[in-house]
Structure formats: C-alpha cells, structure tokens
Amino acid sequence: ERFAETAPRLGDLLSRFLPRAELERSNRWLILQGELHRRAATSLASARTLEELGRLMEALADELMSIEYSGIYFIDPRSGRLRLVVAKGLTEAERIAAERTAELRHPGHVIRTGQPIDVPDTDAVDHAGEPPGHGRIVRSRLYLPVRVGGRTVGSIGFASARPANFG
C-alpha cells in the first residue's frame, strides 16, 4: 500500500533526471529480461539431449546480443571428446574443422580450466602454435564455461568480425 502511494512520486523524481524515452527503454528492457529468465528456467528443465540444450542456449544468447558466430561445445559422455552441438554461422565443413581442433583451442582451454576467455581484438593476440579452427576471420571472441554440479562440462563460444563486440 505504501509503495503504491510512493511510486508515482518516485517516477516524477526520476523523470526530472532521466529523459522519458530512456525510462521507457529501461522499463522495456526489464520486462524483456524477466520474460527471458522465466523462459530460460522452464526451457532448460525440458531439454533432454545435448543438441536440444545447445539449440536452447543459442536461442537465448541470440536474444541477449548480436552474434555472428557461435559454438556450443559439450564433453561427449561416451567418447570424452568435445562435440560442437551448435555452430551458428558455419558451414558443415567449418563445423567439422572447429570440432576436430576444439580441444587445442579456446574451447578446450575453457573446459580444462573452467575459466572464461575474452579476446577483445584477435589482431592484438599472438596465435602462434594454435591450430586453425573454422577458418572465419573474426576480431573478438568470448568463451564461457558451462558448469553442472561444480564441474565444467562445456563451453559456449561467441565470435564477431567486429573488435570488442563482447566483453
């Protein structure tokens, strides 16, 4: 009851400091975030395979940021090798090449260490000795660990032709 009385006055005070368009944009963003979190929670519970989980995670990431290339890697429980279950922006041959070299590149490092990797500008990083992945020219990369029960079981990678697109 007290909040209902105070909320309009608080809104008036905020509108003096922030443009109305900014307040409306922030409100829309908060509503979108709440809906995204609700959908993510219910959808994650329904994923039954690595492929379903990968597609779900890609769809959620697409809603959060502009992504040109993405790859979602999981450790295959049968073989123990990294599988690329989602590969946005890659041809089938590029996907196969990326999966084949994943353990020696950033995805493998994320799996081994459990630490995220953010490379804001690949031109500024020496890649000597690292095998080529999918072969696309990218400028910024972000790799995040996927953890289950405190154990890293996968890696989500994003890449862009634009420098510092992630971070």
Side-chain angles (χ1 to χ4, degrees):
E1 219 176 284
R2 190 157 203 183
F3 179 75
E5 296 170 8
T6 310
R9 282 185 273 153
L10 182 60
D12 289 340
L13 286 172
L14 280 175
S15 67
R16 290 183 196 160
F17 297 104
L18 295 172
R20 182 172 185 80
E22 182 67 26
L23 287 172
E24 289 173 354
R25 188 171 32 254
S26 295
N27 190 39
R28 283 192 303 273
W29 183 83
L30 287 171
I31 291 169
L32 176 67
Q33 288 298 107
E35 174 60 21
L36 184 64
H37 290 167
R38 185 193 63 73
R39 258 192 14 257
T42 56
S43 298
L44 286 171
S46 68
R48 300 284 181 240
T49 66
L50 289 178
E51 289 78 9
E52 286 177 11
L53 183 60
R55 283 191 301 272
L56 170 66
M57 293 171 83
E58 180 187 32
L60 293 172
D62 273 344
E63 289 188 42
L64 293 172
M65 63 185 97
S66 173
I67 300 170
E68 296 164 70
Y69 309 108
S70 66
I72 301 176
Y73 300 83
F74 285 105
I75 298 173
D76 186 323
R78 286 178 231 163
S79 69
R81 295 189 47 87
L82 281 178
R83 284 193 45 221
L84 180 55
V85 296
V86 171
K88 178 181 177 181
L90 303 181
T91 67
E92 184 59 18
E94 291 167 336
R95 189 201 69 72
I96 290 169
E99 183 175 271
R100 186 181 67 247
T101 61
E103 291 181 30
L104 300 173
R105 296 182 299 103
H106 290 112
H109 182 78
V110 170
I111 296 284
R112 288 189 297 279
T113 66
Q115 298 299 308
I117 296 173
D118 183 11
V119 185
D121 190 347
T122 58
D123 282 356
V125 177
D126 182 17
H127 292 291
E130 184 176 291
H134 53 69
R136 297 287 178 115
I137 305 286
V138 297
R139 293 291 303 272
S140 61
R141 301 170 188 264
L142 174 65
Y143 293 87
L144 304 170
V146 176
R147 294 188 178 105
V148 174
R151 184 169 168 243
T152 302
V153 298
S155 172
I156 301 175
F158 305 109
S160 174
R162 295 181 301 276
N165 194 41
F166 309 107

